[in-house]
Amino acid sequence: QVQLQESGPGPVKPSGTLSLTCAVSGGSISSDNWWSWVRQTPGKGLEWIGEIYHIGSTNYNPSLKRRGTISVDKSKNQFSLRLNSVTAADTAIYYCARGGSYSSFDSWGQGTLVTVSS
Amino acid sequence: DIQMTQSPSSLSASVGDRVTITCQASQDISDYLNWYQQEPGKAPKLLIYDASNLKIGVPSRFSGGGSGTDFTFTISSLQPEDVATYYCQQYDNLPLTFGGGTKVEI
C-alpha cells in the first residue's frame, strides 16, 4: 500500500518561499498516476494546489497566480512544491496525495502545518 | 471554476440514524465525483469514487449516488466512529474543487 510523507523546513516569513517534499513509499512515483498537493485552511476549506505526472507534466490552480512550482525526483521517489511570495493567507495544512486529473485522491500524507509569519 | 455546494454544513444525529448529505455542482460533471471522510486531526480519506463506487475496505453502510449536477452521500446506520467531516470533490474540470464540507456529530 502506497504511503506518502510530507516534510518541510517549518515556518516561512512573508514574501519568502515555501518548500515542501513528499516522499512516496510502497509504490513508484513513475506509476500511471498524477501526484497532487492540497491545502486546508479554516477559511477556505480544502484547496487543490496542483499536480504532476512522472514525465514532468504539471497543472496548477489559477488561484495561486503562478506562484507555485511542482517538480518530481524519480531517483528519490518523491515530488516537491515550491510556493513563492507567500503571505499569511498561505498559512495552512499542506497535504500531498496520489491522484488528481482523471481520478480520486486515493492516498494522502498525514499533512504538515506551514505557518507564514514574521 | 466548478463550484461544489454541500448541504447541510453540519448535522447532529443519533446512532443508528440514516444520514444523507447532498452536493450540487455548478455545472454538469457527469459522475466525476468523489466523497471523502476527514476525522478530526487527520488527513481526508477516500470513501466513494465515481459518484457511487465504494472503495475496497470501506463499510457498506456508506453509499453514494447521483450524476450530472446533483449527488447524495448516505450513511445508512450512523455509528460513533462516523463522527467526521465529509467532503465531495469533482474531477471533471481543472481546477479540481471540493465542497465546503459537512460536519457530522452524534
Side-chain angles (χ1 to χ4, degrees), chain B residues 35-47:
Chain B
W35 289 96
Y36 301 87
Q37 175 194 63
Q38 186 177 32
E39 298 173 67
K42 295 189 176 181
K45 183 169 59 175
L46 177 67
L47 296 183

Side-chain angles (χ1 to χ4, degrees), chain B residues 1-62:
Chain B
D1 298 7
I2 296 177
Q3 307 302 317
M4 307 300 294
T5 304
Q6 274 184 249
S7 62
S9 56
S10 66
L11 66 89
S12 182
S14 300
V15 173
D17 282 355
R18 183 181 184 87
V19 168
T20 298
I21 298 167
T22 64
C23 179
Q24 186 170 60
S26 59
Q27 64 187 66
D28 190 334
I29 59 169
S30 185
D31 61 353
Y32 299 127
L33 189 285
N34 304 310
W35 289 96
Y36 301 87
Q37 175 194 63
Q38 186 177 32
E39 298 173 67
K42 295 189 176 181
K45 183 169 59 175
L46 177 67
L47 296 183
I48 290 171
Y49 62 96
D50 297 347
S52 61
N53 295 301
L54 201 65
K55 183 182 177 183
I56 293 174
V58 173
S60 58
R61 64 180 179 275
F62 296 102

Side-chain angles (χ1 to χ4, degrees), chain A residues 36 38 40 46-48 51 59-62 95 100-106 108-111, chain B residues 1 34 36 38 41-46 48-49 55 87 89 91 94-100:
Chain A
S36 288
V38 177
Q40 185 169 31
L46 289 164
E47 180 182 31
W48 175 74
E51 63 184 358
N59 295 301
Y60 298 99
N61 193 326
Y95 296 99
S101 290
Y102 316 114
S103 72
S104 56
F105 301 114
D106 64 356
W108 296 68
Q110 65 185 27
Chain B
D1 298 7
N34 304 310
Y36 301 87
Q38 186 177 32
K42 295 189 176 181
K45 183 169 59 175
L46 177 67
I48 290 171
Y49 62 96
K55 183 182 177 183
Y87 296 92
Q89 175 249 328
Y91 64 102
L94 296 180
L96 308 176
T97 50
F98 292 84

